Amino acid sequence: MTGKRLSRQANSLWHFSLAVYAQPQVPPACLWLQDQHDVDVNLLLYAGWRAGNGDALSREGCRTARERSEVWRCELVQPLRSIRRHAGNLARTDPTFAQSYAALKACELQLERQQQAMFADGSSLDSGESADIGTALEVFASCLGILDRPGVRPTLATIAAAMEGVAD
């Protein structure tokens, strides 16, 4: 972030997220949850990071974290993502859009990093409990009302396995 250094907690969450997302099975799983079930992937990563640190989000903690980020996600991240995806489609047929696409992608990534910093720095506001990463992601999905939808549990298990490998 420009102008302000990230806290230790925010850096920890960001590095965890990058390591998890670097696992080849994770991006398609996260994007499927995002596109099919409107999952906030940053909130999902936050839930896994907390569980990996021994303080999983409770249902109430999930609710408060989601409330804190909803305006950010709806007013900034989602609209920019939509524009970035459109620019990506244009860039595939017209290379003159490639630079704009890259700039939009960098901006979206910066917004996501700031959203994660908001989660990490406000983590004391979100109640926690003891749970392993897999259970924590199921609690998260249950809070969103998507846990029992087709494909969600195996997708969460894939992401949880990647998170457990990073958290070790």
Side-chain angles (χ1 to χ4, degrees), residues 83-98:
I83 294 167
R84 190 247 323 143
R85 285 181 172 179
H86 184 65
N89 290 335
L90 292 171
R92 282 191 266 295
T93 58
D94 183 349
T96 60
F97 284 98

Side-chain angles (χ1 to χ4, degrees), residues 2-26:
T2 58
K4 180 182 173 197
R5 292 179 59 110
L6 291 176
S7 69
R8 181 174 292 156
Q9 290 285 88
N11 272 318
S12 174
L13 172 55
W14 184 249
H15 290 291
F16 170 82
S17 298
L18 292 176
V20 168
Y21 219 78
Q23 305 300 309
Q25 70 279 23
V26 172

Side-chain angles (χ1 to χ4, degrees), residues 1 19 24 39 44 68 72 84 86 103 122 127-128 136-138 150 157-158:
M1 287 172 31
V39 168
L44 173 78
R68 286 189 295 116
W72 186 268
R84 190 247 323 143
H86 184 65
S127 61
L137 296 188
E138 287 189 354
T158 296

